[in-house]
């Protein structure tokens, strides 16, 4: 399920590229994420666009929550990928919630399942500052 988002607008993941040339093809299934970093970015964009179906679909079945509720009041204002090596991505995601800015630092693990990348779990749980 891809939500309507103008394809020419800059991608919510902050890559500087248009949505159609960044996370859009991962969301609509036309080009599955080719690496953990690309999937990490696509999942961040999916949170930003309230595309819970994509977030759940790219979550390993062993660790996936039964349901995911994305808060309307949360704004996803930025993503910085610090490193992406092997099956790990270290990043900082910036959110605004109730007038407060949260910076979430996390090291996430990904793996390949049936030929495509999926998110497994955090290796270092998120810390907020
Ligand atoms: Zn993107």
């Amino acid at each position: 399920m891809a939500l309507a988002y103008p394809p020419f607008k800059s991608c919510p993941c902050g890559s500087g590229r248009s949505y159609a040339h960044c996370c859009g093809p991962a969301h609509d299934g036309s080009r599955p994420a080719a690496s953990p970093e690309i999937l990490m970015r696509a999942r961040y964009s999916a949170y930003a666009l309230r595309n819970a179906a994509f977030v759940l679909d790219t979550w390993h079945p062993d660790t996936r929550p039964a349901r995911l509720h994305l808060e309307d009041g949360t704004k996803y204002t930025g993503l910085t990928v610090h490193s992406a090596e092997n099956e790990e991505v270290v990043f900082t995601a910036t959110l605004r919630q109730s007038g407060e800015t949260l910076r979430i630092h996390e090291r996430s693990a990904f793996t390949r399942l049936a030929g495509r990348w999926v998110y497994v779990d955090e290796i270092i749980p998120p810390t907020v500052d």
Side-chain angles (χ1 to χ4, degrees), residues 8-31:
F8 50 87
K9 282 193 83 174
S10 64
C11 192
C13 80
S15 65
R17 290 184 293 159
S18 68
Y19 178 66
H21 289 97
C22 190
C23 297
H27 290 174
D28 68 20
S30 60
R31 195 173 64 225

Side-chain angles (χ1 to χ4, degrees), residues 28-106:
D28 68 20
S30 60
R31 195 173 64 225
S35 73
E37 181 180 354
I38 294 169
L39 180 58
M40 165 63 228
R41 289 184 167 280
R43 285 172 53 86
Y44 177 86
S45 290
Y47 276 101
L49 299 174
R50 317 247 180 280
N51 185 348
F54 180 85
V55 175
L56 289 172
D57 188 51
T58 54
W59 208 313
H60 195 289
D62 290 351
T63 51
R64 176 166 55 203
R67 287 187 302 134
L68 182 67
H69 176 69
L70 302 182
E71 300 275 349
D72 275 343
T74 305
K75 280 196 169 30
Y76 292 78
T77 53
L79 173 69
T80 304
V81 174
H82 302 293
S83 70
E85 283 171 31
N86 303 317
E87 301 189 328
E88 294 177 20
V89 180
V90 181
F91 65 91
T92 302
T94 310
L95 281 58
R96 277 193 71 77
Q97 215 167 40
S98 313
E100 272 191 293
T101 298
L102 308 176
R103 265 178 293 278
I104 297 170
H105 311 288
E106 186 179 319

